[in-house]
PDB file of all heavy atoms in Angstrom:
ATOM      1  N   MET J 585      41.415 -22.449  16.340  1.00 82.00           N
ATOM      2  CA  MET J 585      40.553 -22.748  17.479  1.00 82.00           C
ATOM      3  C   MET J 585      41.149 -22.254  18.798  1.00 82.00           C
ATOM      4  O   MET J 585      40.490 -22.322  19.827  1.00 82.00           O
ATOM      5  CB  MET J 585      40.312 -24.258  17.565  1.00 82.00           C
ATOM      6  CG  MET J 585      39.449 -24.785  16.429  1.00 82.00           C
ATOM      7  SD  MET J 585      39.048 -26.512  16.609  1.00 82.00           S
ATOM      8  CE  MET J 585      37.849 -26.720  15.277  1.00 82.00           C
ATOM      9  N   SER J 586      42.379 -21.784  18.774  1.00 82.00           N
ATOM     10  CA  SER J 586      43.031 -21.319  20.006  1.00 82.00           C
ATOM     11  C   SER J 586      43.485 -19.873  19.870  1.00 82.00           C
ATOM     12  O   SER J 586      44.473 -19.465  20.505  1.00 82.00           O
ATOM     13  CB  SER J 586      44.233 -22.217  20.330  1.00 82.00           C
ATOM     14  OG  SER J 586      43.849 -23.566  20.395  1.00 82.00           O
ATOM     15  N   SER J 587      42.781 -19.123  19.040  1.00 78.00           N
ATOM     16  CA  SER J 587      43.083 -17.694  18.826  1.00 78.00           C
ATOM     17  C   SER J 587      44.532 -17.477  18.434  1.00 78.00           C
ATOM     18  O   SER J 587      45.222 -16.575  18.943  1.00 78.00           O
ATOM     19  CB  SER J 587      42.749 -16.895  20.098  1.00 78.00           C
ATOM     20  OG  SER J 587      41.405 -17.056  20.447  1.00 78.00           O
ATOM     21  N   GLY J 588      45.049 -18.317  17.548  1.00 84.00           N
ATOM     22  CA  GLY J 588      46.406 -18.169  17.047  1.00 84.00           C
ATOM     23  C   GLY J 588      47.464 -18.867  17.871  1.00 84.00           C
ATOM     24  O   GLY J 588      48.631 -18.914  17.477  1.00 84.00           O
ATOM     25  N   LYS J 589      47.067 -19.422  19.036  1.00 87.00           N
ATOM     26  CA  LYS J 589      48.021 -20.114  19.908  1.00 87.00           C
ATOM     27  C   LYS J 589      48.167 -21.568  19.461  1.00 87.00           C
ATOM     28  O   LYS J 589      47.224 -22.178  18.948  1.00 87.00           O
ATOM     29  CB  LYS J 589      47.548 -20.089  21.355  1.00 87.00           C
ATOM     30  CG  LYS J 589      47.304 -18.700  21.907  1.00 87.00           C
ATOM     31  CD  LYS J 589      48.601 -17.988  22.228  1.00 87.00           C
ATOM     32  CE  LYS J 589      48.357 -16.647  22.892  1.00 87.00           C
ATOM     33  NZ  LYS J 589      49.601 -15.971  23.271  1.00 87.00           N
ATOM     34  N   LEU J 590      49.351 -22.134  19.678  1.00 92.00           N
ATOM     35  CA  LEU J 590      49.587 -23.533  19.342  1.00 92.00           C
ATOM     36  C   LEU J 590      50.595 -24.124  20.322  1.00 92.00           C
ATOM     37  O   LEU J 590      51.646 -23.518  20.581  1.00 92.00           O
ATOM     38  CB  LEU J 590      50.121 -23.657  17.909  1.00 92.00           C
ATOM     39  CG  LEU J 590      50.426 -25.084  17.413  1.00 92.00           C
ATOM     40  CD1 LEU J 590      49.165 -25.934  17.397  1.00 92.00           C
ATOM     41  CD2 LEU J 590      51.040 -25.047  16.022  1.00 92.00           C
ATOM     42  N   CYS J 591      50.267 -25.286  20.852  1.00 93.00           N
ATOM     43  CA  CYS J 591      51.170 -25.965  21.776  1.00 93.00           C
ATOM     44  C   CYS J 591      52.499 -26.251  21.074  1.00 93.00           C
ATOM     45  O   CYS J 591      52.517 -26.833  19.975  1.00 93.00           O
ATOM     46  CB  CYS J 591      50.535 -27.266  22.257  1.00 93.00           C
ATOM     47  SG  CYS J 591      51.660 -28.352  23.158  1.00 93.00           S
ATOM     48  N   PRO J 592      53.636 -25.865  21.654  1.00 94.00           N
ATOM     49  CA  PRO J 592      54.933 -26.082  20.991  1.00 94.00           C
ATOM     50  C   PRO J 592      55.247 -27.553  20.737  1.00 94.00           C
ATOM     51  O   PRO J 592      55.914 -27.881  19.757  1.00 94.00           O
ATOM     52  CB  PRO J 592      55.940 -25.460  21.965  1.00 94.00           C
ATOM     53  CG  PRO J 592      55.221 -25.329  23.265  1.00 94.00           C
ATOM     54  CD  PRO J 592      53.775 -25.157  22.934  1.00 94.00           C
TER      55      PRO J 592
END
Side-chain angles (χ1 to χ4, degrees):
M585 291 185 172
S586 305
S587 302
K589 303 284 185 177
L590 180 62
C591 169

